[in-house]
Structures are given as C-alpha cells and as structure tokens.
Amino acid sequence: MNSPARTVVVPADLRSATLQRWIETIEQFDGAGWPLVLVGNCDRADPLDGLAMAAFCAARTNRIGLCAVVEADTVEPFTLARGLATLDFMSKGRAAWRIAPGSNPERSLELIETVRKLLTSWDADALVADVEGGVLSNPDRVRAIAHEGAWFQVEGPLNVPRPPQGSVPLVAFADEGAIARAADLILHEGTCWEVGLEQLPPPPLPAAAALEAPFPVGLGQD
C-alpha cells in the first residue's frame, strides 16, 4: 500500500528571526498548489501570533489554506472568533485554526464550543448593509449565544458577520485525543511535512495536487 502524499506544511523552525523568509516560502508553497500550511508559533521563548501572521500571508497568497496556531490557555473566545472571521474574509474562505499542544483540555473544548457558537451567531443572510436605510443587519437573523460554562460567560452575538465558509474549521493532529475528536479536519503524520528552512529545496517547491478550495464549503450553515 502506498503511503499518503505529503500535502500539509508544518514549519519546524518558525521564529521572529526567520519570519520574512518563511512568508516568502509560504508564497512558493501557494504557487506550487499545496493545500494547507500551519502558521504561528506558541513557543514561549519566541512567540509569534498565528492570526496576525496568517492575515499577512492572506494578502500574499491566493489558494493555500492558512491555519493559525493559537494558545488556548490564554486566548478568550470573543476575540478569537472575531479574528478568525476576519481572517476568513481577508483570505476569501481559506482560514483555519489549531490549538497549540499543552493546552488545558477542558478549557480548550469549551473554547472550541464557544467560538463555534459565535461564528454562527449570524445567519448567512443576516447582513443587509442598507446604507440609505441605515440598516446593517436583520435582527431576526442575528442571535445572542448566551453561553455560560466553567471557563467562559459570553452573551454574544459576534460583531462580525458569518464568515465565508459558514464557520472556520478547527484542525488537529490525529493523536490529540478529545481535541482531535472535536476537530473538523484531522491531520495524519504521513500527510504532514514538518520542515525547516534549511531542508527546503530551491524553488519551485515540489507540487502537491491543487485543490479548488482548501476546506469543504458550508461549515455551520445548518
């Protein structure tokens, strides 16, 4: 049986000192048709913000999915959901997110639940944007989530319309237990390329099969 083709890029040495080189490399992966790259770094010795980096990459790429790595122990759901929705708009539906290893599992699961509620607190047709009439949205199509849990209390709704994908998919590795079971997209070891800059071949990078879109359309549309 043939091993699965590597299609997901996992930078192994992303640091502030190599940030610009990695951004240029991600542009090359985009041009070569790779479907997904994980961006951001939760190494506390040299932390980089995954959402900020993914947003920057969104302006310099066209097809590749941009998975922002977040630190679930420190982020709160409203800010995260707002950032993810904004990234999905900026990238035209190429956003994803992943929780960094070592997070508190119970807090992480509640964070996932709350973020998903916020991302879908606007119906797909809720945005009216009637400038002359002074109407931004249809109030019947926007809902408070009224979430009360062990870690978070969030009334909602989100103050950003529903993102292009309907929601923003959560990515996890297959061995990440409850987080993997809650994820929308599971990454298996054979499909991921954990690569350092010194390992990269000169351009053009090896091409993976190009996809029309990195993720399924219609998450959270029900």
Side-chain angles (χ1 to χ4, degrees):
M1 181 175 178
N2 294 329
S3 59
R6 296 182 304 184
T7 57
V8 176
V9 183
V10 184
D13 55 358
L14 179 57
R15 299 289 186 272
S16 55
T18 62
L19 178 58
Q20 186 58 41
R21 289 181 62 201
W22 265 112
I23 290 171
E24 293 167 355
T25 301
I26 290 169
E27 290 183 85
Q28 296 176 30
F29 279 110
D30 178 58
W34 288 64
L36 183 66
V37 61
L38 276 61
V39 294
N41 175 20
C42 291
D43 182 346
R44 291 174 178 83
D46 189 5
L48 295 175
D49 186 274
L51 276 171
M53 183 179 175
F56 189 85
C57 290
R60 297 179 56 162
T61 56
N62 296 302
R63 293 181 298 172
I64 195 166
L66 300 168
C67 180
V69 180
V70 302
E71 177 54 77
D73 288 338
T74 58
V75 74
E76 61 88 18
F78 194 93
T79 301
L80 176 57
R82 179 177 169 83
L84 290 172
T86 301
L87 175 61
D88 207 43
F89 279 107
M90 291 181 67
S91 64
K92 299 180 181 179
R94 294 184 287 130
W97 62 299
R98 177 175 179 263
I99 292 174
S103 299
N104 181 302
E106 293 181 0
R107 188 182 192 278
S108 297
L109 289 172
E110 188 176 336
L111 177 75
I112 293 167
E113 176 190 1
T114 313
V115 166
R116 284 173 168 162
K117 287 179 180 178
L118 286 165
L119 289 170
T120 56
S121 60
W122 290 55
D123 289 341
D125 59 352
L127 184 63
V128 176
D130 179 1
V131 177
E132 292 184 0
V135 178
L136 174 64
S137 62
N138 182 343
D140 295 330
R141 311 295 285 172
V142 181
R143 297 169 297 280
I145 68 168
H147 176 88
E148 293 191 14
W151 295 92
F152 307 111
Q153 293 185 351
V154 182
E155 181 64 21
L158 194 63
N159 57 356
V160 178
R162 181 173 289 208
Q165 293 182 87
S167 187
V168 178
L170 175 71
V171 174
F173 287 97
D175 61 356
E176 291 182 322
I179 303 301
R181 290 191 291 274
D184 302 294
L185 178 65
I186 301 296
L187 303 181
H188 296 273
E189 183 178 355
T191 64
C192 297
W193 186 15
E194 186 172 356
V195 59
L197 280 172
E198 75 284 350
Q199 298 172 269
L200 293 172
L205 294 169
L211 302 180
E212 292 184 2
F215 308 114
V217 176
L219 279 173
Q221 296 288 356
D222 296 336

